[in-house]
Amino acid sequence: MNATIETNPLLDRLPKHLKQFIKPQDYSDYTPINQAVWRYVMRKNVDYLSKVAHKSYLDGLKKTGIEVDNIPSMYGMNRILTDIGWAAVAVDGFIPPNAFMEFQAYNVLVIASDIRQLEHIEYTPAPDIIHEGAGHAPIIANPEYAEYLRRFGEIGCKAISSDKDYQMYEAIRLLSIVKEAEDTPQATIDAAEKAVEDLQNNMGELSEMAQIRNLHWWTVEYGLIGTVENPKIYGAGLLSSIGESAYCMTDKVKKIPYDLSAANQNFDITKLQPQLYVTPSFSHLSLVLEEFANKMALRTGGLSGIEKLIESNALGTIELSTGLQVSGVFTKVISHEGKPIYIQTTGKTALASREKELVGHGKLTHAEGFGSPIGKLKGINLAIEDMSPKDLTAYNITEGNTVKLEFEGDITVEGEIITGSRNLQGEIILIRMNNCTVTHGETILFQPEWGVYDMAVGKKLVSAFSGPADVNSFDLITHLPSSTTIKAKHSAERDDLESLYHTIRSIRETKDLETSLAPVLSKLKAAHANDWLLSIEIAELLIDRNEPQLLEEVLIYLENLKQRRPEVAHLISGGLDLILTKENV
């Protein structure tokens, strides 16, 4: 398979803090068993999903270059995805939700490049290349859905999290890793499941991130489209699960018309979903997304917005009506009549306008934090930002003058004006003062000994969102996950089984009609009695070769294996159905 490195211009646009999550896809890491798992799942999926998936799925497989017989190369995918305006990167398992969504905002598909074990062929809670490559990639070839995904990322990465959201991310990441890893002690899995369950039961009021993560789950991951009576699959979690894609179409799963209420419906990644949401169209997804965004602090701002940032205890940004943006960890707000009148950050803070840091107002200037009044002056209907040069002179707000500014809510700023900064519209957005004292009633908020005071100008707080206004203002190269994915163990037995899979794969790919399959089957039966997938691949070759005697031996062996291992009987039957009825793609 061609694994020539191909670039994609979209990847060059990614900011450094996102590039830290990208890892190389070493195609040589995929073993013959991995390739067989991919091939089985894809053949089953394409066969079944052609009947129940949205029509974009099969078209998308062709457009995105996803092959049925080979695990996709990220480089090859990038070459083809360029044509539909997307790119793909490999990552190590789950990454933080904000980062995941920000990748989407840049039209970049995040793909966990590991692949599930044969024992978890139907479903794994861990993201893997089957889920990402065969689930997400084909559907983004639909332009309307692709725009929904991009817009979702753009809005979702601004959602404000709570402390518990990050705890939940770490707990789910760990659970997905230990459940996918082979030979994990049951006690370890039980402890990881309990940690997730305890958090799920004690999340309190759902944060914006928790709510938008729910919307993502019930659409991008587990969405149905059409009517409640006759839905089709488009969610990647369903498209990549040969078990749940069939289960979800039964009456055991409740079908609900998709609307904003899905934001409050939590999910459990370790269980089959008891209900799924059905959207009438991809455009309806975008309508619900905008409906949710209209309720976010990103668009509403105000007192509740700054309070959400304080509660998150994480880097966030507020934007004032002048366009001035303050980025930092917000720790305090003073309110009056339901409106914020003074905001305070602690630690490194940066000021920006239009997502660009203001010269001289980075984290070095505001290393200890930033505080400023918000709102109008007491008894004056005209806000500072709306004052003309004549008005500013009348109120003594000019360079070189000592001024006493009394704001609504009993905030007073008194000092000598050094200079002011304006936005592109000519509005004052920042006033710098010497010998400045800021008080709230009797409480001192800033005093002259602390240095120069920078006062933000803005009559309203119009937006609050997660992350910095200018991504270059802060060092965001800090990703240190608490857990890493666990690779399959090497053993003499495993290596021997891999060699048998390699032999059969080589025979099929080279169309070798001479090499006998009997020795491979004999060794498989003697040394690897629990393996079932290779026997199906041998049976497929025997049908093509028209060797009925050895085929009968394989079929009898598989029938006995179904009796010995009833938990895989349906997988064996499913594989045989494909090859015996000649329905394979």
Side-chain angles (χ1 to χ4, degrees):
M1 182 178 182
N2 181 13
T4 304
I5 295 178
E6 298 284 349
T7 188
N8 185 312
L10 290 174
L11 301 183
D12 299 332
R13 294 196 303 127
L14 289 174
K16 292 179 181 178
H17 72 277
L18 288 183
K19 290 181 179 179
Q20 69 182 311
F21 296 103
I22 301 173
K23 72 166 197 174
Q25 181 200 33
D26 188 346
Y27 201 84
S28 64
D29 282 348
Y30 297 121
T31 70
I33 293 178
N34 294 155
Q35 294 284 3
V37 166
W38 170 272
R39 186 168 182 265
Y40 178 91
V41 172
M42 288 302 295
R43 281 151 54 90
K44 285 290 292 178
N45 273 5
V46 172
D47 174 64
Y48 175 67
L49 293 174
S50 62
K51 307 177 186 73
V52 299
H54 187 266
K55 60 182 180 180
S56 297
Y57 177 73
L58 292 180
D59 292 341
L61 283 176
K62 298 171 186 173
K63 289 180 181 176
T64 52
I66 305 293
E67 298 179 31
V68 169
D69 285 340
N70 298 290
I71 295 171
S73 157
M74 209 68 64
Y75 307 117
M77 281 185 67
N78 265 317
R79 183 182 68 250
I80 297 168
L81 285 172
T82 302
D83 295 336
I84 59 173
W86 280 72
V89 295
V91 298
D92 181 40
F94 282 115
I95 65 173
N98 287 84
F100 181 87
M101 293 185 192
E102 193 175 356
F103 271 110
Q104 285 182 193
Y106 281 93
N107 284 35
V108 174
L109 193 62
V110 173
I111 295 181
S113 57
D114 289 338
I115 187 167
R116 67 194 65 178
Q117 297 180 63
L118 176 56
E119 291 75 15
H120 300 153
I121 195 168
E122 286 190 283
Y123 171 79
T124 174
D128 76 335
I129 197 163
I130 291 178
H131 171 81
E132 314 283 6
H136 285 295
I139 293 294
I140 64 169
N142 179 296
E144 193 170 32
Y145 180 76
E147 174 56 20
Y148 166 71
L149 202 63
R150 185 202 66 78
R151 185 70 175 143
F152 197 107
E154 196 172 55
I155 292 170
C157 70
K158 301 292 187 183
I160 300 171
S161 301
S162 69
D163 274 341
K164 287 190 175 179
D165 287 328
Y166 196 76
Q167 293 175 39
M168 177 62 83
Y169 155 70
E170 290 284 9
I172 287 176
R173 178 180 166 86
L174 178 62
L175 175 60
S176 71
I177 289 171
V178 298
K179 287 200 78 167
E180 174 60 23
E182 59 183 319
D183 302 329
T184 302
Q186 189 59 44
T188 301
I189 295 175
D190 291 344
E193 286 183 334
K194 186 176 186 305
V196 171
E197 185 178 355
D198 288 347
L199 279 169
Q200 284 175 332
N201 294 333
N202 294 281
M203 290 295 287
E205 184 178 350
L206 294 180
S207 68
E208 288 181 352
M209 177 52 73
Q211 289 180 308
I212 204 164
R213 195 176 63 234
N214 285 344
L215 291 182
H216 194 272
W217 182 265
W218 298 120
T219 61
V220 176
E221 297 294 352
Y222 278 81
L224 299 175
I225 187 169
T227 65
V228 168
E229 297 75 24
N230 183 31
K232 298 293 185 182
I233 296 172
Y234 74 91
L238 297 173
L239 292 172
S240 60
S241 171
I242 56 178
E244 198 157 8
S245 60
Y247 178 77
C248 78
M249 287 297 170
T250 69
D251 292 338
K252 295 177 183 177
V253 178
K254 184 179 180 182
K255 314 300 191 301
I256 306 168
Y258 179 64
D259 59 26
L260 195 56
S261 66
N264 295 311
Q265 179 62 58
N266 291 329
F267 56 89
D268 184 340
I269 69 164
T270 67
K271 296 181 173 66
L272 295 171
Q273 305 307 312
Q275 77 280 307
L276 294 173
Y277 290 86
V278 186
T279 182
S281 63
F282 288 140
S283 62
H284 182 69
L285 297 179
S286 296
L287 288 176
V288 174
L289 176 61
E290 291 301 321
E291 189 180 352
F292 179 79
N294 285 336
K295 299 177 183 294
M296 289 174 61
L298 174 67
R299 294 185 181 174
T300 61
L303 181 60
S304 65
I306 185 72
E307 287 176 339
K308 286 178 182 178
L309 284 179
I310 292 171
E311 185 181 350
S312 75
N313 194 33
L315 177 62
T317 298
I318 64 164
E319 182 172 328
L320 304 182
S321 46
T322 54
L324 180 71
Q325 297 165 315
V326 182
S327 300
V329 177
F330 290 86
T331 52
K332 180 180 180 180
V333 62
I334 300 172
S335 63
H336 174 68
E337 296 181 348
K339 299 177 181 179
I341 59 170
Y342 195 89
I343 55 93
Q344 179 71 55
T345 66
T346 299
K348 295 174 180 178
T349 304
L351 309 184
S353 180
R354 293 176 177 261
E355 288 72 51
K356 294 296 181 185
E357 183 180 296
L358 297 179
V359 176
H361 290 284
K363 61 185 181 181
L364 294 179
T365 301
H366 304 288
E368 304 300 321
F370 179 84
S372 176
I374 298 171
K376 294 182 178 180
L377 297 173
K378 190 187 301 181
I380 302 176
N381 288 328
L382 194 63
I384 294 177
E385 66 197 73
D386 297 325
M387 290 182 179
S388 66
K390 187 176 180 180
D391 295 322
L392 292 170
T393 301
Y395 289 108
N396 210 31
I397 307 175
T398 53
E399 295 176 6
N401 288 329
T402 297
V403 66
K404 184 176 183 179
L405 303 174
E406 297 182 53
F407 288 84
E408 294 175 345
D410 206 18
I411 301 286
T412 300
V413 179
E414 187 171 5
E416 179 189 342
I417 297 177
I418 304 172
T419 188
S421 300
R422 296 178 182 270
N423 61 20
L424 291 176
Q425 286 72 42
E427 300 167 332
I428 293 181
I429 60 175
L430 199 65
I431 295 176
R432 173 163 278 201
M433 299 183 183
N434 261 333
N435 302 314
C436 188
T437 301
V438 183
T439 58
H440 176 232
E442 300 299 317
T443 304
I444 295 177
L445 302 175
F446 191 91
Q447 52 195 29
E449 303 86 79
W450 297 352
V452 174
Y453 182 69
D454 290 293
M455 186 187 81
V457 176
K459 58 189 173 187
K460 287 196 299 185
L461 195 161
V462 297
S463 181
F465 54 88
S466 175
D470 185 338
V471 296
N472 297 310
S473 293
F474 295 85
D475 180 12
L476 302 176
I477 316 298
T478 56
H479 176 60
L480 291 172
S482 62
S483 52
T484 54
T485 52
I486 301 171
K487 306 300 182 185
K489 298 175 183 175
H490 280 283
S491 66
E493 182 181 356
R494 171 67 65 87
D495 290 345
D496 183 61
L497 182 60
E498 291 282 9
S499 71
L500 297 180
Y501 270 88
H502 174 73
T503 298
I504 294 301
R505 181 174 175 82
S506 178
I507 288 172
R508 185 180 66 249
E509 289 184 339
T510 60
K511 296 180 171 54
D512 178 358
L513 301 177
E514 303 301 324
T515 302
S516 173
L517 303 178
V520 178
L521 178 63
S522 178
K523 192 170 184 181
L524 178 68
K525 292 164 68 174
H528 308 285
N530 280 330
D531 185 83
W532 58 272
L533 181 53
L534 188 58
S535 299
I536 292 175
E537 295 217 329
I538 292 172
E540 181 185 359
L541 290 177
L542 291 171
I543 290 173
D544 292 340
R545 288 182 171 197
N546 193 22
E547 296 184 28
Q549 189 172 346
L550 191 55
L551 174 61
E552 184 65 20
E553 182 182 340
V554 174
L555 295 178
I556 291 172
Y557 175 69
L558 284 168
E559 195 59 39
N560 291 334
L561 188 54
K562 286 163 67 175
Q563 303 305 314
R564 285 194 294 109
R565 298 194 62 197
E567 71 275 12
V568 298
H570 64 293
L571 295 172
I572 294 172
S573 297
L576 290 176
D577 285 345
L578 279 175
I579 63 174
L580 293 176
T581 58
K582 297 292 183 181
E583 290 179 358
N584 53 305
V585 176

